[in-house]
Amino acid sequence: MLGMRKPPFCIGIAGPSCAGKTSIARKLVEMLPGETILFGLDSYYLDLSHLPHEERAKQNFDDPALLESQLLAQHLESLRSGESIRQPLYDFATHTRVRDTQALIKPGDFLIVEGLFTLYWPEVRPAFDMRIFVDAPDPVCFERRKARDVHERGRTVESIVHQYRETVRPGCEHFVLPSRGHAQLVVDGNQPIELSAHQVFSAVQQRLGPHPRSVDGEAARL
């Protein structure tokens, strides 16, 4: 146990790759009162150090089986209990967890968890006070991902198309899109980020009701 405080209001955001999850989550961090903690699911990918490097690269990272959902569930339970956690750090260049290094995550007043499979696991879903799904058409997601991976990650169009066809799209169809049914609010990933963030903000406001939420010892309202 690394310290106790009031449990955070926990928001889970899921949706296809490049639907707008991260942008909406970052905007919410700016809008919500008090301390808002944001983290994605990447830290929970399994450590593949036991495999040869060439085998690691062949793994399907668009399959939720490649993530340690039990550890994520435990960490969310700890945060909701007011405890801090030590979150693993993942190195995608080597597909391994960084040894002897972890990130200290404190509960904060609000906790936002975003990622492809946020609403997929039955053992993880109960941790969320609010479950959000960001929906966007496949062609839109593909064009956004292609632009991102070319300009930000230096990848070739051919490699992007191959990965999208072989793992990204099938993973979305099999695992991500069905989790939409677990969402309490679905927002349109085609609309402006500010509008989607305000829709989530309003939903959180309604859930919390008229009662003020304590933020650093002071009363604050959404």
Side-chain angles (χ1 to χ4, degrees):
M1 185 178 299
L2 301 172
M4 298 285 294
R5 61 169 293 165
K6 184 175 181 178
F9 185 93
C10 194
I11 304 169
I13 302 179
S17 175
C18 290
K21 302 181 298 297
T22 303
S23 297
I24 293 171
R26 289 173 177 168
K27 189 65 179 178
L28 276 173
V29 172
E30 300 175 6
M31 299 171 64
L32 292 168
E35 183 181 13
T36 301
I37 307 301
L38 168 63
F39 71 79
L41 300 182
D42 288 356
S43 294
Y44 297 91
Y45 273 100
L46 296 173
D47 186 347
L48 301 180
S49 58
H50 61 288
L51 297 175
H53 190 273
E54 59 272 16
E55 289 300 318
R56 301 175 200 168
K58 295 178 182 178
Q59 301 300 308
N60 181 6
F61 294 94
D62 291 286
D63 187 329
L66 262 289
L67 289 92
E68 192 173 359
S69 59
Q70 290 294 339
L71 179 61
L72 173 61
Q74 292 171 13
H75 279 179
L76 290 177
E77 181 179 356
S78 294
L79 290 167
R80 285 179 57 83
S81 297
E83 304 173 24
S84 299
I85 64 167
R86 293 195 180 278
Q87 188 183 65
L89 299 178
Y90 199 80
D91 180 6
F92 272 99
T94 61
H95 304 296
T96 62
R97 288 181 181 171
V98 180
R99 291 185 178 181
D100 303 320
T101 304
Q102 297 172 315
L104 177 63
I105 307 293
K106 299 181 180 180
D109 300 292
F110 294 88
L111 174 66
I112 302 176
V113 180
E114 65 90 7
L116 294 174
F117 312 116
T118 303
L119 303 182
Y120 173 78
W121 298 289
E123 65 269 31
V124 172
R125 288 195 297 268
F128 301 122
D129 299 293
M130 180 69 64
R131 300 186 300 276
I132 310 297
F133 192 90
V134 183
D135 207 358
D138 181 74
V140 172
C141 293
F142 170 69
E143 290 301 325
R144 289 176 179 174
R145 183 172 174 121
K146 183 170 65 174
R148 182 199 68 184
D149 286 0
V150 167
H151 296 294
E152 297 181 14
R153 304 183 181 182
R155 296 185 57 195
T156 65
V157 173
E158 291 77 14
S159 69
I160 296 167
V161 171
H162 176 77
Q163 182 185 31
Y164 200 88
R165 182 180 63 246
E166 296 299 318
T167 65
V168 177
R169 182 179 289 123
C172 182
E173 293 175 349
H174 294 154
F175 306 115
V176 180
L177 293 180
S179 73
R180 185 182 190 272
H182 300 292
Q184 297 158 309
L185 174 66
V186 177
V187 297
D188 184 356
N190 266 331
Q191 66 187 6
I193 295 299
E194 292 77 9
L195 178 55
S196 294
H198 275 284
Q199 288 178 329
V200 178
F201 182 87
S202 296
V204 173
Q205 184 180 35
Q206 293 176 5
R207 177 62 59 85
L208 289 177
H211 302 293
R213 185 172 183 80
S214 176
V215 178
D216 294 331
E218 297 182 0
R221 294 179 183 269
L222 283 172

